[in-house]
Amino acid sequence: MSVTSGNILEVRGLQTQFNTLDGVVRAVDGVSFDLARGETLGIVGESGCGKSVTALSILRLIPPETGRIAGGSIKFEGEELTTLGEEAMKGLRGHRISMIFQEPMTSLNPVLTVGTQIAENVVRHMGVSWRAARERSFEMLDLVRIADARRRLDEYPHQLSGGMRQRVMIALALSCDPQVLIADEPTTALDVTIQAQILDLMLELKEKTGTAIVLITHDLGVIAETTERVVVMYAGRKVEEAPVEALFAEPLHPYTRGLMRAIPRLDIEADAAGMRPRLQEIPGLVPRLTQPIPGCAFAPRCGFATERCRAEPPPLVDAGGGHTVACWEVDRVRASAL
Amino acid sequence: MTAYIVRRLFATLPVMAVVAVFVFFLIRFAPGDPAAIIAGEDATAEAIAQVRAKLGLDRPFMEQFFIWILQMLQGDLGVSIFSNLPVSRLIVQRVEPTVALTLSTLFVAVALAIPIGVVAAWKARRLVDRLVMGFAVLGFAMPVFVLAYILIYFFAVQWQLLPVQGYRPIAEGFWPFVESLILPSVALGVTYMALIARITRASMLEVLAQDYIRTANAKGLATDRVLLLHALKNAAVPIVTVIGIGIALLISGVVITETVFNIPGLGRLTVDAVLKRDYPVVQGLILVFAAAKVLVNLIIDISYAFLDPRIRY
Ligand SMILES: Nc1ncnc2c1ncn2[C@@H]1O[C@H](COP(=O)(O)OP(=O)(O)OP(=O)(O)O)[C@@H](O)[C@H]1O
Ligand code: SF4
Ligand SMILES: [Mg+2]
């Protein structure tokens, strides 16, 4: 484990599990990554691979009735979060680490005004008056380019479009100048033109504030446009990590390659309905996470799979230049065409 | 909002008109001839006819109806057959205890039920939840008069903390007034509390699973703010609906409680009037109870608009 050098967040061997009727779901099974100050890290993977659970684990928002962090360590500025007291954790949430959720339509409280929902965060963490917090809320709405921000403060979420609600969420998340912003598929629920605007806005604000961002998405196109480094997740595990150029120049994991063939590419024009052509899905299904997977989780869907793949989990190995991959057959993969 | 309230107020008029017509015909078609009852058991046919003429019951139906409507619009609900006092006066005399009992019961029930329901939902499926909800089921299953006698036995007879029965008007001092209401309100309120607590728990559980509650927690807000502002306000509409239904139930419950605790309210007046077939009084009481329910409904409807900005008016 490294010393806290430039890293604001260090996740090591994170394991998060849920008790369900079918058994224990190992939603996150030994994931590690670092986030440097001011960096934008992407986490990518298919639906259900544990991206949201990873994000919620960092904020310790896993519903305690069914889920728990079963192992590993999460260090924020050198401080261990997995064992931090609940009150101290509350002091971090929305203040030093904040989050934007996947579903803008349902993430804001329908019966409270937008102004109240932003201002309460400011009052909670900055110890200022409601009046000052309201002024701050106005500035934030203005910053995320909501027109007529002063009037919007007194509006309810149902009076705003999906794109505007996500802007409100961004304003809320950044209202106390967090060091880390976790954006969990912030644009997935929005239509394509709005998606680009929201991503641009986030990057622009990041430049201004120096906030480090964990950007979660299942869209490699978004990753290519916005992040510096990428973690690829599959079935609750990290299968590959690389600087973004290296990943796109030479993806080393068969799963990453599969994802790349499936990219709805941003450089291909959207059709009239605003949809880009979907290229190629990876055949097969994500494995059930209730049974421990003995070998490589991707083996049932992998064209390179061997006996060893099914029997022994591949360790993460350094492929040079900050590129790591967990695949037994990496040399064969490298030699093959994309 | 004001326009909405005015509109809702006007919308209650047809309802009240229907109730009035219904009451009039109900009484006219009910079995038993009031004239014969009033005239007494051994009255001659002639005497009965006399009484009938005095009450105006010999006139054509429509005429009776219009006279009645006209009087009612002037606030005249007729005269009691037995006491010869105006019905409106009888009702006004008896209204204070009933209103006081209804409001204090409502207060007891809501003040206990909402915290219980909120805590139960917050600690769902844990010990506190099971205890509190078990208690609520017990309360719901307990007949009002049984609980009333148990309460009287302990609090009034054994420990002598509170009066056994009777009602003290507020004019005789606030504390005696409150004392006289405690046992009846608790007896009456417990069933009702159970009902509201259950709906509060169910509604809160649903709300606590929503995404915006996770957002509230992601702000690091204090638990009470998340529960009482973010969640409860969203859970309020079904709770308020059940409170409204409960008030309707309460009005029937008042009849029993007033009898058990010997409180001279509208419930007792109703029992007496029905037993004596004092038709004008019964008519007047039905109208008053109906108006009360319509009013409660109106208040509930208007409160929805305050609680949920998405409800359009
Ligand atoms: N509260 C929960 N109870 C039980 N299982 C859960 C719970 N939350 C998540 N899971 C399981 O954990 C796994 C990972 O879910 P997660 O939400 O992290 O996926 P994701 O990568 O964010 O997918 P998506 O792209 O669809 O958002 C899934 O198999 C999911 O069923
Ligand atoms: S370890 Fe084997 S199964 Fe897994 S990705 Fe590599 S080649 Fe495929
Ligand atoms: Mg997700």
Side-chain angles (χ1 to χ4, degrees):
Chain A
M1 204 178 291
S2 70
V3 191
T4 21
S5 55
N7 293 331
I8 189 143
L9 192 67
E10 295 183 342
V11 177
R12 287 289 172 277
L14 178 66
Q15 292 189 309
T16 305
Q17 305 179 344
F18 294 95
N19 293 318
T20 67
L21 291 178
D22 299 331
V24 175
V25 173
R26 293 154 204 276
V28 176
D29 196 11
V31 165
S32 306
F33 59 86
D34 292 336
L35 179 70
R37 279 170 209 283
E39 185 189 25
T40 306
L41 173 74
I43 299 183
V44 68
E46 285 171 301
S47 187
C49 70
K51 305 182 297 292
S52 296
V53 172
T54 302
L56 292 171
S57 299
I58 294 170
L59 274 173
R60 287 234 321 255
L61 287 176
I62 297 294
E65 303 83 53
T66 55
R68 67 195 181 99
I69 296 178
S73 138
I74 300 166
K75 283 203 165 133
F76 171 72
E77 296 209 304
E79 188 170 24
E80 180 59 50
L81 298 188
T82 54
T83 52
L84 192 65
E86 180 59 21
E87 281 310 307
M89 199 63 222
K90 279 183 181 170
L92 292 183
R93 292 186 192 128
H95 182 198
R96 312 205 29 217
I97 309 179
S98 58
M99 184 156 173
I100 303 172
F101 296 96
Q102 205 162 341
E103 308 84 6
M105 304 312 277
T106 55
S107 293
L108 288 167
N109 193 317
V111 303
L112 299 176
T113 62
V114 164
T116 303
Q117 294 188 59
I118 301 175
E120 67 180 352
N121 194 45
V122 180
V123 169
R124 166 73 177 86
H125 298 293
M126 307 300 238
V128 299
S129 69
W130 276 95
R131 181 187 259 283
R134 198 178 145 82
E135 206 43 42
R136 173 74 178 161
S137 311
F138 162 70
E139 288 166 19
M140 290 310 298
L141 288 187
D142 207 43
L143 192 67
V144 298
R145 287 196 221 98
I146 286 185
D148 211 356
R150 182 119 3 231
R151 183 170 57 83
R152 295 291 185 189
L153 282 179
D154 294 318
E155 290 195 345
Y156 292 92
H158 73 274
Q159 292 166 287
L160 310 179
S161 67
M164 276 213 270
R165 289 187 213 189
Q166 206 58 306
R167 282 169 199 265
V168 170
M169 283 300 293
I170 295 172
L172 165 60
L174 296 179
S175 61
C176 295
D177 291 326
Q179 277 96 327
V180 174
L181 172 66
I182 303 172
D184 185 3
E185 310 213 26
T187 61
T188 307
L190 305 174
D191 63 53
V192 180
T193 43
I194 312 286
Q195 278 188 16
Q197 289 173 15
I198 295 285
L199 287 173
D200 289 347
L201 176 69
M202 282 180 44
L203 291 184
E204 184 195 318
L205 294 178
K206 177 207 132 97
E207 290 308 314
K208 274 190 201 159
T209 59
T211 303
I213 296 181
V214 178
L215 181 71
I216 294 174
T217 175
H218 57 244
D219 186 342
L220 271 173
V222 169
I223 292 280
E225 302 254 310
T226 51
T227 64
E228 295 158 51
R229 211 152 42 84
V230 194
V231 166
V232 182
M233 281 183 70
Y234 185 74
R237 299 175 186 173
K238 178 171 87 172
V239 296
E240 186 166 6
E241 176 177 344
V244 70
E245 305 77 23
L247 190 84
F248 281 88
E250 190 179 40
L252 292 179
H253 198 283
Y255 173 62
T256 314
R257 294 189 160 211
L259 284 179
M260 289 204 176
R261 282 192 294 270
I263 300 183
R265 303 222 341 234
L266 286 173
D267 54 356
I268 296 177
E269 279 301 306
D271 65 17
M275 299 301 289
R276 291 195 204 83
R278 205 162 171 85
L279 297 179
Q280 196 184 328
E281 299 279 355
I282 307 174
L285 288 176
V286 183
R288 289 162 41 118
L289 301 173
T290 41
Q291 255 88 55
I293 302 163
C296 171
F298 191 57
R301 300 168 76 184
C302 180
F304 297 90
T306 62
E307 270 319 302
R308 177 163 70 162
C309 297
R310 277 179 273 273
E312 276 177 78
L316 273 168
V317 293
D318 195 340
H323 200 152
T324 54
V325 62
C327 175
W328 289 122
E329 301 297 321
V330 65
D331 295 330
R332 267 170 65 213
V333 176
R334 200 175 236 157
S336 72
L338 186 63
Chain B
M1 186 60 101
T2 320
Y4 170 71
I5 294 172
V6 170
R7 208 150 18 93
R8 293 301 322 223
L9 261 172
F10 273 104
T12 63
L13 292 180
V15 179
M16 283 312 295
V18 170
V19 172
V21 172
F22 179 74
V23 166
F24 178 84
F25 286 101
L26 182 78
I27 296 297
R28 293 312 183 277
F29 290 126
D33 179 352
I37 295 165
I38 294 164
E41 288 213 356
D42 325 302
T44 60
E46 203 174 294
I48 294 175
Q50 237 170 13
V51 175
R52 188 171 288 131
K54 188 181 141 214
L55 295 175
L57 294 175
D58 55 344
R59 306 210 194 154
F61 224 70
M62 288 321 275
E63 199 182 320
Q64 286 186 40
F65 182 64
F66 283 115
I67 291 174
W68 185 67
I69 294 280
L70 270 178
Q71 288 177 337
M72 220 176 47
L73 288 178
Q74 294 161 355
D76 177 0
L77 295 176
V79 175
S80 161
I81 294 173
F82 284 91
S83 63
N84 263 328
L85 292 170
V87 172
S88 51
R89 203 163 104 205
L90 284 175
I91 291 178
V92 168
Q93 277 174 357
R94 299 294 196 91
V95 90
E96 185 198 294
T98 300
V99 169
L101 183 59
T102 308
L103 291 182
S104 63
T105 303
L106 200 64
F107 177 78
V108 167
V110 172
L112 288 173
I114 290 188
I116 285 176
V118 168
V119 168
W122 178 38
K123 298 285 180 198
R125 284 171 287 274
R126 306 235 216 115
L127 188 64
V128 197
D129 175 31
R130 289 183 205 278
L131 281 179
V132 147
M133 283 296 121
F135 172 62
V137 170
L138 200 69
F140 193 64
M142 178 93 76
V144 171
F145 67 91
V146 174
L147 182 63
Y149 284 121
I150 295 175
L151 288 173
I152 290 176
Y153 179 75
F154 286 104
F155 287 90
V157 180
Q158 286 288 317
W159 302 328
Q160 312 211 334
L161 295 171
L162 294 164
V164 175
Q165 49 173 215
Y167 173 76
R168 306 286 293 274
I170 194 163
E172 291 177 19
F174 186 69
W175 182 238
F177 163 76
V178 169
E179 263 186 349
S180 71
L181 284 175
I182 292 178
L183 290 183
S185 302
V186 172
L188 198 50
V190 163
T191 317
Y192 192 37
M193 176 206 73
L195 190 69
I196 303 173
R198 290 187 73 84
I199 197 76
T200 303
R201 178 181 182 273
S203 186
M204 282 291 286
L205 270 183
E206 197 184 316
V207 168
L208 288 175
Q210 301 294 313
D211 288 340
Y212 52 79
I213 297 299
R214 193 179 55 194
T215 307
N217 284 321
K219 297 180 205 177
L221 299 178
T223 307
D224 56 354
R225 188 171 174 93
V226 175
L227 286 176
L228 300 181
L229 180 69
H230 284 260
L232 190 56
K233 196 169 179 208
N234 277 285
V237 165
I239 299 173
V240 167
T241 307
V242 167
I243 292 178
I245 296 169
I247 296 175
L249 295 176
L250 249 183
I251 291 175
S252 350
V254 158
V255 174
I256 298 173
T257 321
E258 286 182 2
T259 310
V260 174
F261 286 96
N262 193 21
I263 292 172
L266 292 180
R268 288 267 305 290
L269 184 63
T270 309
V271 173
D272 294 346
V274 168
L275 290 178
K276 292 182 192 156
R277 294 183 195 249
D278 195 340
Y279 287 93
V281 177
V282 173
Q283 268 180 3
L285 283 166
I286 295 179
L287 279 176
V288 166
F289 282 134
K293 290 190 187 184
V294 168
L295 184 70
V296 167
N297 217 5
L298 181 70
I299 294 173
I300 300 284
D301 267 2
I302 293 171
S303 73
Y304 290 161
F306 278 102
L307 290 170
D308 190 341
R310 288 165 301 179
I311 291 177
R312 286 155 58 87
Y313 43 83

